[in-house]
Amino acid sequence: MGIAVGIDLGTTNSAVSVVRPTGKPEVLKNKEGDSITPSVVLFQSFGGPDEPLVGEQAKRQAAAFPDDIVQHVKRYMGDPSWRFDSSSGAQYSAEEVSAIILKRLKEDAEIALGEEVTDAVITVPAYFDDARRTATKQAGQIAALNVLRVLNEPTAAALSYGIDADANGTVLVYDLGGGTFDVTILKIAGTEFEVIATDGDRNLGGFDFDNALMSYLNEELKKQGAPDALEDVALMASLREKAEFAKKALSTVPKTNVQFSANDQHYRVPLTREEFNEVTQSLMVRTQELVADVLEASKLTWDDIDKVLLVGGSTRMPAVRELVEQMSGKSPELDVNPDEAVALGAAIQATLEGDIEVSTEQVGSKATVESFLGGPVHISDVTSQALGVILIEADGVTEFNQVMIERNTKVPAKTELKTKTAYDRQTAVHVKVTQGDERDPQNVTIVGEGQLEIPVYPKGSPLRVSYEYDVDQTVVVEVHDLTANKSLGTIKIERVANLGEGELGEMEQKIGGMQIN
Ligand code: AMP
């Protein structure tokens, strides 16, 4: 095995980290010398196949080539209908675009380390569901990485926080990134990390703050006679750039001017932090509601929370700090780098999961990490989504969703359900795996289906169905024949939203052979 790295594959930015021989994790610089790489892909070709450009250079050209750029692809992970059509006529799934980013990260890490990178722990929002977790693992596979594990971002952040500070206590992680929001409560006791509850919104992040500001700026610009920028791809890309820039400026200064050009005309919109806070207020309120929900789910009050960690680039907005202080009556911890904490934690986990026995010149071994941290690390995480099975009511027709594993259950988790064969000479059990708490099948998502053959028994023969959530929060279903008292095996779940083995192999070849810059 080569080197195992930790990868924070973010909606807007990504970072790679390794544990050094001292046992301390460190973010690696990319080939441009930056510690973060924008998760942006520009599909360019020079008369031949696509030669995607990834990172800062791609981001800078977003406004100039709006049709050739892919940003925020993380939002589409696990969405089987999403495709990007490049100008050269090729089509890419979200997993492939993510794999292109991962491949660039892998190659840059190999340059920085001078050694081959083979394995990775990739982080995901705690609120990612089964389809999105599986899609992330598949993106790693397409990029020729052995994905040791997908790790929840807030858990990774807490892991890196736990190494530096006197972190013991109950910690709330407020993680507002580019595209997702997660809030997680965990207990840290030495090298034990126990997640108690998690909640979030995978469509709430800096991107939405940019969108809200863009709408406001567009209205102001129209009042000055500018064309509707939201109706024109190039103008919209330019306005997005200006909006994000202004948003970031307002994190440090109280007011700024937004300069905008269209049709050779120049416009200027003055903008204050108060105005920005006003147009984005509903988004802040949404995070506030989710924080309240997670506190309730954990059965804790603010008095029980010892520390608040802010993670994700969007927590640089002063409104976040104000909200957290106002809600909790506590000042957030300052010694967390919101851009790096997640990648650093992922590297710790990668080293613990990998099988590097001895430190090399570049990277540390599992033993060095443990001695640096002060002992073996134990992480216990919880499920972010309820998992269930579709059953049939006693009337023999009406379907309902039976929750098997509730939200915020510790993983790995296993539950069992006794059921019976539904009719005489039944030869197979068909299982529909659901995600969601509600009883009505209309209100839950079928994440996958699978079938297992059973011996021919009379109607009403007892079966036991067991669900197991592994540490990656992907589900394994097993059926027991209680007549013969033996396992009938595990069901291979065909995931509705994910790629099949054949497609994966083709994508590995397609992306593997690509020149990525
Ligand atoms: P992440 O995915 O954690 O890298 O977060 C990136 C998001 O943070 C993007 O939406 C950025 O616009 C946002 N961001 C980065 N720096 C700042 C800042 N100084 N003020 C406000 N938002 C920021």
Side-chain angles (χ1 to χ4, degrees):
M1 186 175 102
I3 289 176
V5 296
I7 301 180
D8 170 7
L9 183 63
T11 312
T12 39
N13 294 307
S14 297
V16 183
S17 169
V18 288
V19 168
R20 291 300 193 181
T22 52
K24 201 172 158 67
E26 188 182 300
V27 170
L28 295 173
K29 297 259 191 287
N30 64 17
K31 64 182 177 199
E32 281 132 358
D34 299 325
S35 45
I36 54 173
T37 302
S39 310
V40 181
V41 182
L42 175 72
F43 283 89
Q44 47 180 12
S45 71
F46 303 92
D50 287 329
E51 294 182 28
L53 183 65
V54 177
E56 189 58 37
Q57 296 295 330
K59 185 177 177 182
R60 288 209 187 145
Q61 296 182 61
F65 300 100
D67 293 336
D68 300 319
I69 205 99
V70 184
Q71 305 197 59
H72 312 114
V73 70
K74 188 169 172 177
R75 289 202 154 184
Y76 308 106
M77 290 293 270
D79 174 354
S81 62
W82 188 89
R83 286 290 180 275
F84 176 77
D85 293 300
S86 79
S87 309
S88 76
Q91 255 201 354
Y92 299 88
S93 64
E95 290 86 342
E96 285 176 303
V97 177
S98 292
I100 289 171
I101 299 169
L102 286 170
K103 194 168 172 226
R104 161 80 201 268
L105 297 173
K106 175 181 185 300
E107 287 171 2
D108 282 11
E110 287 172 343
I111 294 171
L113 294 166
E115 283 180 63
E116 195 187 0
V117 169
T118 50
D119 295 49
V121 165
I122 305 179
T123 57
V124 290
Y127 207 63
F128 252 24
D129 62 11
D130 180 88
R132 291 171 181 84
R133 284 167 195 270
T134 304
T136 305
K137 281 197 235 169
Q138 293 186 326
Q141 189 180 334
I142 299 169
L145 278 169
N146 175 35
V147 181
L148 297 165
R149 176 169 170 182
V150 290
L151 178 67
N152 286 343
E153 288 160 9
T155 312
L159 199 49
S160 72
Y161 172 72
I163 61 171
D164 272 344
D166 172 23
N168 286 355
T170 306
V171 176
L172 183 139
V173 184
Y174 177 109
D175 180 357
L176 188 60
T180 52
F181 174 67
D182 271 338
V183 52
T184 300
I185 294 178
L186 35 70
K187 282 200 171 131
I188 306 179
T191 50
E192 308 274 333
F193 296 77
E194 185 192 357
V195 178
I196 299 171
T198 189
D199 210 331
D201 185 337
R202 59 183 171 70
N203 281 319
L204 175 60
F207 179 69
D208 302 283
F209 286 75
D210 299 343
N211 285 342
L213 182 56
M214 282 165 72
S215 300
Y216 171 78
L217 291 173
N218 192 43
E219 290 309 312
E220 293 301 306
L221 287 162
K222 283 199 304 195
K223 281 183 204 161
Q224 294 180 29
D228 189 338
L230 302 183
E231 293 295 317
D232 177 292
V233 184
L235 287 181
M236 186 154 97
S238 165
L239 187 62
R240 176 169 299 287
E241 213 174 75
K242 308 277 180 191
E244 194 193 1
F245 193 81
K247 171 186 80 172
K248 288 185 182 171
L250 291 176
S251 290
T252 42
V253 295
K255 55 185 173 210
T256 187
N257 271 312
V258 181
Q259 313 276 359
F260 188 72
S261 305
N263 304 339
D264 289 332
Q265 296 287 319
H266 304 292
Y267 306 91
R268 200 178 67 179
V269 182
L271 185 70
T272 65
R273 190 183 289 163
E274 283 72 32
E275 284 163 337
F276 172 72
N277 288 348
E278 215 164 283
V279 297
T280 55
Q281 202 197 0
S282 63
L283 301 169
M284 289 303 305
V285 169
R286 174 87 183 116
T287 73
Q288 185 174 8
E289 288 165 357
L290 288 162
V291 171
D293 288 351
V294 86
L295 266 178
E296 197 186 323
S298 64
K299 303 190 179 64
L300 296 176
T301 66
W302 281 113
D303 287 343
D304 303 312
I305 305 291
D306 299 304
K307 289 176 184 123
V308 180
L309 308 190
L310 300 183
V311 182
S314 299
T315 58
R316 291 213 170 83
M317 291 185 292
V320 168
R321 184 169 296 265
E322 283 158 23
L323 175 77
V324 167
E325 284 179 0
Q326 174 224 317
M327 273 191 298
S328 66
K330 297 171 213 295
S331 305
E333 293 302 301
L334 293 174
D335 45 5
V336 180
N337 180 329
D339 297 324
E340 296 191 350
V342 170
L344 295 173
I348 296 175
Q349 186 67 32
T351 309
L352 294 173
E353 297 260 339
D355 58 5
I356 297 178
E357 295 296 336
V358 192
S359 299
T360 66
E361 222 173 272
Q362 295 288 355
V363 297
S365 63
K366 184 174 169 180
T368 28
V369 177
E370 291 189 341
S371 79
F372 181 77
L373 295 173
V377 176
H378 294 289
I379 301 176
S380 78
D381 226 320
V382 296
T383 59
S384 58
Q385 318 275 341
L387 269 190
V389 62
I390 296 288
L391 295 179
I392 300 183
E393 303 264 19
D395 66 7
V397 222
T398 318
E399 292 193 331
F400 70 98
N401 175 46
Q402 167 74 46
V403 171
M404 296 281 289
I405 298 177
E406 305 217 15
R407 276 183 55 193
N408 290 322
T409 305
K410 256 189 195 186
V411 285
K414 190 169 178 179
T415 53
E416 295 172 346
L417 174 90
K418 286 203 175 136
T419 180
K420 292 177 185 149
T421 49
Y423 48 87
D424 280 329
R425 290 207 298 280
Q426 182 173 341
T427 55
V429 207
H430 189 90
V431 177
K432 284 187 195 163
V433 181
T434 65
Q435 186 173 279
D437 319 272
E438 301 211 21
R439 190 176 167 85
D440 183 349
Q442 300 287 338
N443 297 332
V444 296
T445 313
I446 307 275
V447 293
E449 297 187 36
Q451 190 152 306
L452 205 61
E453 284 183 14
I454 56 169
V456 182
Y457 285 135
K459 176 179 170 180
S461 300
L463 296 171
R464 189 173 69 216
V465 179
S466 68
Y467 267 41
E468 200 169 345
Y469 237 152
D470 66 11
V471 285
D472 286 345
Q473 295 192 35
T474 42
V475 62
V476 181
V477 178
E478 189 178 7
V479 178
H480 256 84
D481 169 356
L482 293 178
T483 309
N485 211 8
K486 63 168 191 184
S487 168
L488 295 172
T490 54
I491 293 186
K492 175 110 186 76
I493 298 177
E494 291 300 330
R495 289 188 155 73
V496 232
N498 294 111
L499 305 165
E501 279 306 316
E503 281 173 296
L504 264 180
E506 281 168 27
M507 289 177 179
E508 256 180 274
Q509 288 207 329
K510 175 173 155 196
I511 305 300
M514 243 175 178
Q515 168 71 33
I516 293 170
N517 297 300

